[in-house]
Amino acid sequence: MEQNEKKSPHGEQILLEQKNQLLLENFDGVMVEEENLSSIDIINGFRVRPGFYEINGASALPNGVNFTLISYHATSCELVLFHRKCQEPYARIPFPSNYRVGNVFSMFVFDLKIDEFEYAYCLDGPYHPEKGMLFDKNKYLLDPYAKAVTGQSEWGKVLAENEFYKARVVHNNFNWEMPDKTAPKLHDCIIYEMHVRGFTRHPSSGVRHPGTFDAIGEKIPYLKQLGINAVEFMPVFEFDETRNMRTVNGKTLLDYWGYNPVCFFAPNTSYASEAEYNREGKELKSLIKDLHQNGIKVILDVVFNHTAEGNEKGPFFSFKGIDNNIYYMLTPNGSYYNFSGCGNTLNCNHPMVRDLILNCLRYWAISYHVDGFRFDLASILGRSEDSTPLNKPPLLEQLAYDPILFGVDLIAEAWDAGGLYQVGSFPSWNRWSEWNGKYRDDLRSFLKGDDGFAMAAAQRIIGSPDLYPPEKRGANASVNFITCHDGFTLYDLYSYNRKHNEGNGWNNTDGADDNRSWNCGVEGETADEAVLRLRYRMVRNACAVLMCSRGTPMFLAGDEFANTQFGNNNPYCQDNEISWLDWSLLEKNGSLLEFFKFMIHLRRSHAVLRQNTAPCSMGFPSVSLHGTKPWDKNYGWETKVIGIMFAGKGKRGEDDILYLGINAYWEPQEMELPHLPEGNCWIPRVDTWRGKKAVLQEKEILDHGTYVIQPRSVCVFQVIPSGM
């Protein structure tokens, strides 16, 4: 291997892909040689033989296709073949009884050309709903390991009554080449959370194929200019946006967010700009490749807590018909536990389901070069089969130590809809990171001036050591955020006192009530210049604090130019202007965008904001807390002013010292900064009170190291040698 290959973060993955392909091409030699005719059977006109039981799903191999399906309780299995886009099968091939080993059905079918067919399974077995067994030999079932899915492939188009999901076999021949950049460590990342469709669906996006993977590729220059180095895609697994489709006030509402997976291994077909028959997600792979070449890592928001099959009233297309009582958590009478809030709960710690999840994540890491995963409602992954929380969940431990996933980021949303809340206590093995929900809550409260949050806010800013002791959780434990897809945008956070979800059709009962938001004096849209100045200052405050906090910052796409959802804090069903990014705001709010760019650049330029570096020569600790006076950290109930100093060495060995000052009070406060050795001075770099001129272009030497921080504003100061 050449030297540049050794440095590549995905070099080992590429080699593994090549080895796997060689393995498949030479597996036992029998599949490509037909000399041993006694091993070949003729079933309904097809030449078949026992398959390769350790290769899950359907795989294109020399001379044919291998099909493998696992079911613990099925009594028989039938492979059903369809011509492309047809709903009536052209062939049925039952698995002979001797093609079953243990609970695995496997069959190799000669001479199948993967471009010419789609497939499903029919399984027979016991029907005992009270025991969770729902076998129905007349149901066409989707392969859980399908790499591509057909059926509901056009966005917003409901499957016809006679249509159903089928799977396609795919080629695995994408040319990745050798990546030439090393992916940043998580603590060096600035994560940009986006919805694939909503990012470019608005007419103002100016792309060729709005709402697609291809369109995101067109926006890579914008992402580079913004300065982020990681994107977190909301779900891209095949999902059914037409589930619970309805009309409210003349608008068609869909399951727009995508948190209702149909198949874990297949990319969502309606996110591709053109039909991708048998191309194994080429458009998504091209996007990931382009992002990597531009120094941006890719994190997928994955949903392993439930599926789109729902509860007893939900559809029946895959897991329910394969092993319902294994794949789902069931009550003693066969009903579905609902810790996901979506009708069912995946039985994640059953050995078979654990294998499925592990194989799935390995597949995305190897075949798509994904750099990380954010696990939706991850606390469900730590529940036992009887729903109780496990002290040492096997699945979470297995993922933490898996050798293939070793370099992949694992990020938990450390709570679920069943009331389990594990922020700071999620089982980690010093490997798992967490969405820090307490960072969001404490900073929201403190920044708008609530009493009693000064110390909590300071702890969050310095990396939440009270939640994540560095010696136990390392530098990557906390993913800090003030906004995400779930809740208000950053602009709405300071434009609305309450949610406005009437358009969702639930009489404003859905969505969170504990938003800790503030409308700055007027609810919603206003022409009042004073209110607008305050709102934009509050947005800048939040950005500055987020970018100056230890941990990994994450913010919602569009926050950098004040995108709004018009007060809707739960737009999961709004495939329209409520959810789509309005790119025309780039021009209107260009100064805000420039502020985000500067704060991102500041963070990336100063390692002391991200982690401990070598000690500075002035003797300051790496992190210290202050008040209006240096070293005063006796924060009381009514404290509204805090200062945090980060000190260490820069890239060239020079002292690198930054000071974050926050005044959440409604009157000016004089802040005295720590005394510096002779020959050094403090200068302000950022002052959000100055609005569009919040980034200070000229050096202003602080007289006696004091500065008046204006009401509800944030400042960033830097130490420089006197005379510079």
Side-chain angles (χ1 to χ4, degrees), residues 474-500:
N476 291 333
S478 181
V479 174
N480 302 327
F481 66 104
I482 295 175
T483 58
C484 64
H485 71 274
D486 194 358
F488 284 137
T489 67
L490 192 53
Y491 182 77
D492 288 0
L493 187 66
Y494 299 113
S495 301
Y496 297 91
N497 278 352
R498 60 188 184 278
K499 65 188 181 184
H500 293 269

Side-chain angles (χ1 to χ4, degrees), residues 72-84:
Y72 274 50
H73 300 111
T75 55
S76 66
C77 180
E78 187 177 49
L79 174 66
V80 188
L81 303 179
F82 303 81
H83 291 301
R84 266 177 38 184

Side-chain angles (χ1 to χ4, degrees), residues 8 64 76 188 206 218-219 225-226 251 266 373 388 448 462 504 519 537 600 625 675 687 693-694 700-701:
S8 166
S76 66
D188 290 326
E218 288 191 56
K219 291 292 186 182
Q225 292 171 8
L226 180 59
K251 286 188 175 182
F373 302 98
T388 55
K448 74 183 183 73
I462 66 174
N504 294 354
N519 64 17
R537 186 160 77 250
I600 291 170
L625 304 184
H675 177 73
D687 185 346
K693 298 181 179 180
E700 301 178 12
I701 306 300

